């Protein structure tokens, strides 16, 4: 059984507790315009092109001309000589496939690095798009006494089946309003809300992350809308973190042949302060990682 991964490496405290080996899994069912990992959106991977190093000669089908990639000619290409034969650092496929046992072997070898409560985190993309695979992976990590975390958009209807295998459950929540959620992500938040309800009931450690984006969820009305939803539940097992919009992934959108449409989306520090104030006034625990 194989898993598609587009990035891996260590990170401290930002993807769960302690020092963690983080795997970014390929594929996502949302289409957030501010995504910082656009190369992880397509389940089959995306061609990432660096025009500075592109050579016309690496594509025998004429898809590369004068350092420009015509992606329409790549559609349906089965041979992909550009990445399989004429390998060049000007172009690559975003992901690689790994056997689950390869990942387990790597994680076991890395155990000495899992200090301060560290372990392995699965993120994305959206890790649950490879649900059966990560269920096996998480089970094997636990059997090797490795701390586990997953960062998810909480859209998988069977997410709660993984709860016993996850030590830290990190759940993103883009918007409490279903229509706005559909507009900014492309899908409903109905299952998302159901999974939050289950997590607050049945999981011991939940971290809720809200990406704060100007014009999406940066008003006081938005803040109180989130709070109203969370106050319907017992959130004693949960903490909350606010992630201000950034453009760290902007260049990658162009490298993936995608248009980056976000403009003027940074939020004022005062908005983050207001989030903190209103959440804490409602006994919702705010953290920073």
């Amino acid at each position: 059984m194989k898993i598609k991964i587009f990035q891996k490496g260590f990170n401290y405290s930002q993807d769960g507790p302690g020092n963690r080996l983080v795997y970014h899994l390929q594929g996502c069912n949302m289409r957030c315009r501010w995504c910082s990992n656009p190369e992880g959106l397509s389940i089959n991977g995306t061609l990432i092109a660096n025009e500075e190093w592109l050579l016309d000669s690496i594509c025998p089908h004429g898809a590369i001309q004068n350092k420009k990639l015509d992606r329409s000619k790549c559609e349906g290409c089965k041979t992909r000589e550009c990445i399989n034969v004429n390998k060049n650092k000007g172009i690559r496929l975003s992901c690689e496939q790994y056997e689950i046992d390869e990942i387990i072997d790597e994680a076991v070898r890395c155990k000495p690095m899992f200090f301060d409560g560290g372990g392995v985190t699965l993120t994305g993309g959206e890790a649950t798009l490879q649900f059966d695979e990560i269920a096996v992976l998480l089970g094997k990590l636990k059997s090797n006494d490795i701390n586990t975390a997953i960062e998810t958009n909480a859209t998988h209807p069977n997410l709660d089946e993984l709860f016993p295998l996850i030590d830290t459950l990190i759940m993103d929540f883009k918007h409490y309003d279903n229509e706005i959620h559909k507009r900014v992500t492309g899908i409903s938040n109905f299952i998302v809300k159901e999974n939050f309800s289950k997590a607050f009931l049945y999981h011991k450690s939940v971290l809720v992350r809200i990406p704060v984006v100007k014009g999406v969820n940066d008003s006081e009305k938005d803040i109180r809308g989130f709070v109203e939803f969370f106050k319907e539940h017992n959130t004693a097992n949960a903490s909350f973190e606010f992630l201000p919009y950034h453009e760290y992934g902007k260049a990658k959108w162009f490298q993936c042949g995608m248009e980056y449409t976000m403009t003027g989306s940074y939020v004022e520090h005062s908005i983050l302060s207001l989030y903190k104030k209103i959440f804490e006034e409602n006994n919702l625990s705010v953290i920073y990682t």
Side-chain angles (χ1 to χ4, degrees):
M1 186 175 282
K2 294 184 178 182
I3 292 181
K4 294 178 181 178
I5 293 172
F6 69 87
Q7 182 177 310
K8 63 177 181 174
F10 273 93
N11 200 357
Y12 184 83
S13 80
Q14 293 184 338
D15 298 284
N19 199 42
R20 309 192 68 83
L21 180 55
V22 181
Y23 293 95
H24 290 257
L25 275 63
Q26 186 73 35
C28 186
N29 56 334
M30 287 186 178
R31 289 298 181 266
C32 307
R33 294 184 299 123
W34 59 84
C35 180
S36 59
N37 292 313
E39 73 276 30
L41 294 178
S42 170
I43 190 63
N44 295 317
T46 298
L47 288 174
I48 302 175
N50 184 335
E51 291 184 354
E52 180 182 358
W53 299 101
L54 270 183
L55 299 176
D56 295 2
S57 59
I58 64 176
C59 178
H61 312 291
I64 303 173
Q65 298 289 333
N66 299 319
K67 296 187 177 295
K68 299 293 182 181
L69 176 63
D70 182 352
R71 292 176 184 268
S72 67
K73 294 184 178 180
C74 302
E75 297 175 6
C77 179
K78 304 296 184 182
T79 50
R80 286 192 166 178
E81 288 91 346
C82 62
I83 57 175
N84 295 322
V85 180
N86 305 320
K87 295 183 179 181
N88 175 271
K89 64 180 179 179
I91 192 168
R92 64 180 178 86
L93 186 65
S94 59
C95 63
E96 296 182 34
Q97 295 194 59
Y98 294 83
E99 294 284 352
I100 286 178
D101 286 342
E102 287 183 75
I103 299 172
I104 295 299
D105 288 344
E106 183 173 50
V108 169
R109 293 197 308 272
C110 290
K111 268 189 173 184
M113 297 296 292
F114 297 153
F115 50 84
D116 294 343
V120 169
T121 297
L122 306 181
T123 183
E126 171 50 42
T128 61
L129 261 63
Q130 301 182 62
F131 189 88
D132 293 342
E133 292 83 356
I134 67 170
V136 173
L137 174 58
L138 289 167
K140 289 192 174 187
L141 289 169
K142 294 302 294 177
S143 67
N144 280 277
D145 196 30
I146 293 174
N147 183 280
T148 60
I150 186 171
E151 183 173 9
T152 176
N153 61 25
T155 57
H156 199 287
N158 300 324
L159 180 62
D160 58 316
E161 295 178 9
L162 301 178
F163 286 178
L165 304 175
I166 301 168
D167 293 304
T168 300
L169 177 61
I170 306 172
M171 304 172 75
D172 291 351
F173 197 16
K174 274 65 172 183
H175 212 285
Y176 60 90
D177 181 278
N178 188 48
E179 291 305 313
I180 297 175
H181 192 279
K182 286 194 290 187
R183 175 168 58 82
V184 300
T185 71
I187 58 178
S188 167
N189 69 7
F190 179 76
I191 294 175
V192 175
K193 287 184 172 181
E194 281 196 336
N195 280 327
F196 271 109
S197 298
K198 292 175 184 177
F200 293 142
L201 276 173
Y202 302 121
H203 201 277
K204 62 183 179 179
S205 178
V206 181
L207 171 58
V208 181
R209 285 181 165 168
I210 299 175
V212 185
V213 183
K214 187 174 182 179
V216 175
N217 56 11
D218 65 326
S219 70
E220 182 171 342
K221 176 186 176 183
D222 292 322
I223 301 171
R224 297 194 182 279
F226 279 116
V227 168
E228 182 180 348
F229 170 74
F230 293 129
K231 290 294 287 181
E232 295 173 358
H233 304 84
N234 180 353
T235 58
N237 61 339
S239 53
F240 299 84
E241 184 174 21
F242 316 120
L243 307 178
Y245 167 81
H246 59 74
E247 292 186 346
Y248 298 156
K250 182 176 180 178
K252 293 193 290 184
W253 280 75
F254 299 109
Q255 292 172 348
C256 293
M258 301 160 63
E259 182 183 6
Y260 190 79
T261 60
M262 300 296 291
T263 57
S265 301
Y266 288 101
V267 294
E268 300 290 339
H269 181 74
S270 60
I271 297 298
L272 301 175
S273 297
L274 187 60
Y275 258 99
K276 181 177 185 295
K277 176 177 181 293
I278 293 175
F279 268 61
E280 289 183 340
E281 285 175 350
N282 286 274
N283 299 313
L284 299 170
S285 176
V286 176
I287 68 166
Y288 299 92
T289 61

